[in-house]
Amino acid sequence: MNHASARESVVAAARSLFSRSLTHGSTGNLSVRVDDCLLVTPTGSSLGTVEPDELSLISMDGEHLDGRAPSKESFLHLAMLKARLEACAVVHTHSTYSVAVSCLGGVDANNVLPPLTAYYALRVGRVPLLPYHAPGDSTLGPAAEAAARHHHAMLLRNHGPIVAGTSLSAAMDAMEELEETAKLYLLLGDRAKPLTDTQARALGPG
């Protein structure tokens, strides 16, 4: 993917997330790896209005190369891509139901959502809940990198989901599956009957 098409893909994905209320205001950020650099949405921008030429270009070491200043959470994108060499895109949103689950007490931080559907097991798998850090706090980077070695999706405590994928569309699909499963989980409560561990392992990325 060249830089021009990557920019168009990021903006199209951003518009899609915003138009379906999976982000709001200036929340959420997206990135795509192009060659040895990362295109990432800029800090303080709305995913509903960001333009291709406003995207930030940074090195894989975090150096700002071109465009507007990058998202203050770009370090999380870099951490996940460093841990998952097969991944080339990261999606982070503040989508309502995933954020709600990230705020719950008494959940399993090693696997915060049960596999309620086959598609969740297939596209998402086990999702850890990382400890709370203030937005932009770079000390979260090492924890995210460590978790990403085993999981391509995670929830940030009292914050929201972040997902890496082998393509932007794969990351989007997994993030949306995570959001829908969070919604089901909150709707069903203790009436839910998840897939068994055997059923989930047969489908999921683990």
Side-chain angles (χ1 to χ4, degrees):
M1 182 183 294
N2 61 39
H3 281 257
S5 60
R7 287 175 183 274
E8 294 294 338
S9 295
V10 169
V11 168
R15 296 278 194 280
S16 175
L17 290 171
F18 190 87
S19 67
R20 293 177 292 137
S21 298
L22 292 168
T23 65
H24 57 275
S26 59
T27 65
N29 33 78
L30 309 173
S31 68
V32 171
R33 180 163 28 198
V34 184
D35 299 326
D36 294 325
C37 301
L38 194 68
L39 273 174
V40 60
T41 49
T43 188
S45 66
S46 167
L47 297 189
T49 59
V50 67
E51 296 292 344
D53 61 358
E54 295 176 334
L55 298 181
S56 179
L57 185 68
I58 62 175
S59 74
M60 297 308 292
D61 294 322
E63 179 186 0
H64 183 205
L65 303 174
D66 192 25
R68 287 175 50 182
S71 166
K72 64 186 176 184
E73 293 170 332
S74 57
F75 71 91
L76 283 173
H77 296 239
L78 293 169
M80 294 190 74
L81 293 173
K82 183 178 179 181
R84 306 191 70 83
L85 297 181
E86 79 285 0
C88 69
V90 176
V91 176
H92 168 53
T93 69
H94 293 190
S95 43
T96 301
Y97 295 98
S98 296
V99 172
V101 170
S102 81
C103 297
L104 290 176
V107 294
D108 181 357
N110 295 312
N111 188 26
V112 69
L113 280 172
L116 295 177
T117 68
Y119 283 103
Y120 178 80
L122 180 64
R123 293 176 178 162
V124 182
R126 297 172 64 87
V127 173
L129 178 64
L130 272 60
Y132 174 76
H133 289 68
D137 182 352
S138 62
T139 62
L140 178 58
E145 183 180 341
R149 294 191 187 106
H150 305 285
H151 309 279
H152 72 107
M154 59 192 76
L155 281 181
L156 311 177
R157 165 65 79 178
N158 297 85
H159 190 161
I162 187 165
V163 179
T166 54
S167 66
L168 183 54
S169 60
M172 290 276 286
D173 285 347
M175 191 286 300
E176 292 174 52
E177 199 67 47
L178 175 55
E179 173 68 358
E180 287 302 309
T181 300
K183 183 177 182 179
L184 289 171
Y185 177 72
L186 293 168
L187 286 170
L188 293 169
D190 58 11
R191 294 174 295 167
K193 184 179 180 182
L195 300 181
T196 66
D197 288 345
T198 300
Q199 290 169 332
R201 279 195 298 267
L203 293 164

